[in-house]
Amino acid sequence: MRLKRLKVRSTERGLLYRDGVLQEVLGPGTRWVFDPFWKLNLEIVSVREPWLEHRDLEILVRQGLLAKADATVIELNEEQRAVVRINGRFETLLTPGLHALWTVFHDVDVDLFEVTEPLIEDEKLLRLARQVDLDAWISLQTVAEGQRGLLFVDGRLERVAAPGRIATWRRVRDVRLVVVDVREQMLDIGGQDILTADSVTLRLNAVVSFRVTDPERAATLAEDWSQVLYREAQLALRASVGVRELDQVLAQKDELADELRTQVVPKALSLGIEVISVGVRDVILPGEMKVLLNRVTEAKKAAEANLVTRREETAAMRSQANTAKLMENNPALMRLRELEVLEKVASNTQLTVLLGEGGLAEKVSKLM
């Protein structure tokens, strides 16, 4: 008789083959089997490590050779993922395929997730994604306060997300998150060289204050809505300045800003953008034009000063003429005027005065 001794320890399982074909899985113990033609072969597999990786795993599972008490089998399709915890600790996230783990010396927990929807809303999985590195399978992005997240799936807008953490599955569908700031923003229209109606080249800097009120509209109607708004404001600035002369541009900055706003607002509204204000910040003149304007300003100021002087002189002469005419018609006023002059002279000198019938000036006899 040809008896064969098969021994499997408690930390092992035995894979019994006949003519290279897997027959069964043997548990711990010692067995004697009749093998007259030496066709039986026992392969020992350790169950100390949790993962069961074997060339005949498919056969073990399909033929039901693995006892449920010994192993946990996980089979995932293309729309499933599984989180595996061993002895209460996260082990890995499983992708599609056939997986098996020994449960002889380990507690194995499996959480199954469907990935038909790219957005992850399971709180348990979200907490896990924040605690361990799952970047290979899960994309985590943050939408801050004052922002909105536009979730595009396979090129189509699926939803507008409020501030918070956004988690999506990787390698499932084409997922893209576009973050749009809905706070008030400033757009600088800088360094614009524009020719005025009187052929003067100016460099202008303008600023547009705006707020995105419809993130969905802004992100879907334009590839880059901020560039569209910039171009619209730039063209409006050139059109408004090009029909004005230099003096008008310098003197009518507020009117120019109002005209810019009128032209920019319709385009902005079509993109879901509210224009709060438009202003011309700087008007920069060429060097030679600055010199000419300074000369013109100096000439104007000099002319204004000369005019004021002439007016004052004319007023003074007119006043003197009126005084002389008044004294000519009133001799008593002339005498009073003479007394005032005499009082001023006598205040700082010794004066002897003889008064008579003639004029006061003719009676001054001694001045010391």
Side-chain angles (χ1 to χ4, degrees):
M1 295 180 63
R2 295 183 176 180
L3 293 178
K4 192 170 186 176
R5 181 172 175 267
L6 305 178
K7 183 178 181 180
V8 180
R9 296 182 178 84
S10 60
T11 59
E12 300 170 340
R13 293 298 181 269
L15 306 183
L16 184 62
Y17 289 85
R18 182 185 296 275
D19 283 339
V21 178
L22 183 62
Q23 301 294 311
E24 62 178 316
V25 178
L26 302 180
T30 301
R31 300 170 180 80
W32 293 91
V33 296
F34 182 64
D35 184 18
F37 302 106
W38 300 98
K39 293 184 177 183
L40 294 178
N41 181 46
L42 182 65
E43 181 179 344
I44 299 298
V45 178
S46 174
V47 296
R48 290 180 179 273
E49 297 298 326
W51 291 100
L52 171 55
E53 297 177 355
H54 196 273
R55 63 184 183 279
D56 291 329
L57 179 60
E58 188 80 18
I59 298 174
L60 290 170
V61 173
R62 301 298 177 223
Q63 295 184 1
L65 300 179
L66 289 174
K68 292 183 178 180
D70 289 346
T72 294
V73 176
I74 308 166
E75 188 170 7
L76 304 175
N77 60 35
E78 294 298 328
E79 296 182 347
Q80 293 176 324
R81 300 292 185 273
V83 172
V84 177
R85 291 180 176 83
I86 297 177
N87 299 325
R89 294 185 297 272
F90 170 77
E91 178 69 13
T92 189
L93 189 147
L94 295 179
T95 54
L98 184 62
H99 314 274
L101 295 94
W102 294 114
T103 58
V104 179
F105 297 104
H106 304 280
D107 293 328
V108 177
D109 295 318
V110 179
D111 293 325
L112 187 65
F113 298 96
E114 300 291 335
V115 297
T116 52
E117 294 298 329
L119 187 64
I120 300 174
E121 297 182 320
D122 186 278
E123 288 296 330
K124 188 176 181 181
L125 183 57
L126 288 175
R127 287 196 301 271
L128 179 63
R130 297 186 189 105
Q131 295 168 359
V132 299
D133 184 11
L134 296 179
D135 288 345
W137 305 282
I138 295 176
S139 172
L140 271 180
Q141 299 184 63
T142 300
V143 178
E145 287 291 343
Q147 296 178 334
R148 296 295 181 271
L150 305 179
L151 187 66
F152 289 86
V153 179
D154 295 334
R156 299 182 60 184
L157 180 64
E158 288 287 328
R159 63 184 296 176
V160 179
R165 298 293 292 273
I166 306 297
T168 55
W169 292 105
R170 293 186 186 273
R171 303 185 183 92
V172 176
R173 299 170 69 180
D174 182 16
V175 179
R176 182 169 61 96
L177 182 68
V178 177
V179 178
V180 178
D181 199 322
V182 297
R183 297 170 294 183
E184 182 176 341
Q185 302 178 62
M186 303 294 289
L187 185 64
D188 285 323
I189 316 297
Q192 302 300 308
D193 292 329
I194 306 174
L195 190 67
T196 64
D198 51 352
S199 300
V200 177
T201 301
L202 301 178
R203 173 165 291 188
L204 285 87
N205 296 324
V207 62
V208 179
S209 175
F210 66 94
R211 180 189 300 111
V212 178
T213 56
D214 191 341
E216 179 179 346
R217 194 174 185 85
T220 55
L221 294 184
E223 181 179 359
D224 189 340
W225 51 264
S226 63
Q227 284 299 313
V228 174
L229 184 60
Y230 179 92
R231 185 180 66 250
E232 193 70 21
Q234 182 187 49
L235 294 176
L237 182 62
R238 291 182 176 275
S240 298
V241 173
V243 297
R244 286 177 166 83
E245 295 185 353
L246 175 61
D247 291 343
Q248 293 176 314
V249 174
L250 296 177
Q252 300 175 1
K253 292 177 67 175
D254 291 340
E255 291 83 349
L256 179 60
D258 292 338
E259 186 175 328
L260 291 176
R261 177 181 173 84
T262 301
Q263 296 182 52
V264 171
V265 164
K267 184 64 175 181
L269 289 177
S270 69
L271 294 176
I273 300 172
E274 175 193 1
V275 175
I276 300 172
S277 65
V278 179
V280 177
R281 188 174 59 186
D282 301 310
V283 178
I284 304 172
L285 299 172
E288 63 275 9
M289 185 57 64
K290 289 182 181 179
V291 174
L292 291 175
L293 286 180
N294 288 335
R295 290 177 181 175
V296 170
T297 302
E298 290 175 2
K300 287 182 178 179
K301 294 302 181 182
E304 291 175 0
N306 188 42
L307 179 60
V308 170
T309 302
R310 294 293 180 265
R311 286 176 180 173
E312 292 296 330
E313 290 176 352
T314 301
M317 294 178 65
R318 185 181 294 112
S319 177
Q320 291 177 357
N322 291 335
T323 302
K325 186 176 181 180
L326 186 61
M327 289 182 175
E328 180 182 358
N329 297 329
N330 297 276
L333 291 177
M334 185 61 183
R335 297 295 299 273
L336 290 174
R337 181 61 176 167
E338 290 175 351
L339 289 174
E340 290 178 359
V341 173
L342 185 59
E343 181 183 2
K344 291 181 179 179
V345 174
S347 62
N348 293 320
T349 185
Q350 183 178 355
L351 184 65
T352 301
V353 180
L354 298 176
L355 299 176
E357 294 179 357
L360 178 61
E362 299 174 358
K363 302 301 182 180
V364 177
S365 60
K366 186 177 181 182
L367 180 61
M368 299 181 65

